[in-house]
Amino acid sequence: MKLFTKAVLRTLPGIGETESQGLEALARVKLFTPDSSWTWYITEFDGEDLLFGLVDGLEAELGYFRLSELQAVRGALGLPIERDRFFEPRPVGEILEEVRSWRNG
């Protein structure tokens, strides 16, 4: 599966376009490792390689990451990252609260 279709790419704002929205910015795409515990919630894309969003891995944090790096990632069983085709856009802050709640039990 391609991580992004052209239709998905058209929904992503450019880098910096949602900055003023803070944690109300919408995560429009969810990527995950099916054989690991890492998840990426993407809010912005520069149209080439740079992405911004929430990364839930060892910690949950907002930051930049590269599409080219995600395409090279393999989980513990060697499976590539996948896009959650059923993910509905949600505010990053809402997702962050859920992740923190889950981590803290």
Side-chain angles (χ1 to χ4, degrees):
M1 170 198 306
K2 291 175 69 171
L3 286 181
F4 298 107
T5 63
K6 288 179 182 177
V8 168
L9 289 175
R10 282 192 295 271
T11 69
L12 291 170
I15 296 293
E17 287 185 25
T18 67
E19 186 174 356
S20 65
Q21 297 173 21
L23 294 177
E24 292 301 313
L26 290 181
R28 298 170 187 273
V29 178
K30 175 184 175 184
L31 303 176
F32 66 97
T33 50
D35 57 349
S36 181
S37 61
W38 285 71
T39 306
W40 296 261
Y41 298 92
I42 300 166
T43 60
E44 299 175 346
F45 180 49
D46 76 350
E48 293 183 29
D49 192 45
L50 188 64
L51 301 156
F52 182 82
L54 175 66
V55 180
D56 180 18
L58 298 176
E59 297 289 330
E61 58 187 338
L62 292 166
Y64 294 93
F65 39 96
R66 298 214 170 264
L67 176 59
S68 56
E69 292 174 349
L70 295 180
Q71 291 170 327
V73 169
R74 296 294 180 265
L77 300 175
L79 298 175
I81 291 174
E82 295 182 17
R83 178 174 36 88
D84 182 344
R85 296 179 299 144
F86 304 101
F87 178 74
E88 294 291 329
R90 298 172 48 206
V92 170
E94 184 179 299
I95 297 167
L96 187 57
E97 282 183 33
E98 283 182 12
V99 168
R100 288 179 175 162
S101 173
W102 179 81
R103 285 178 181 269
N104 294 329

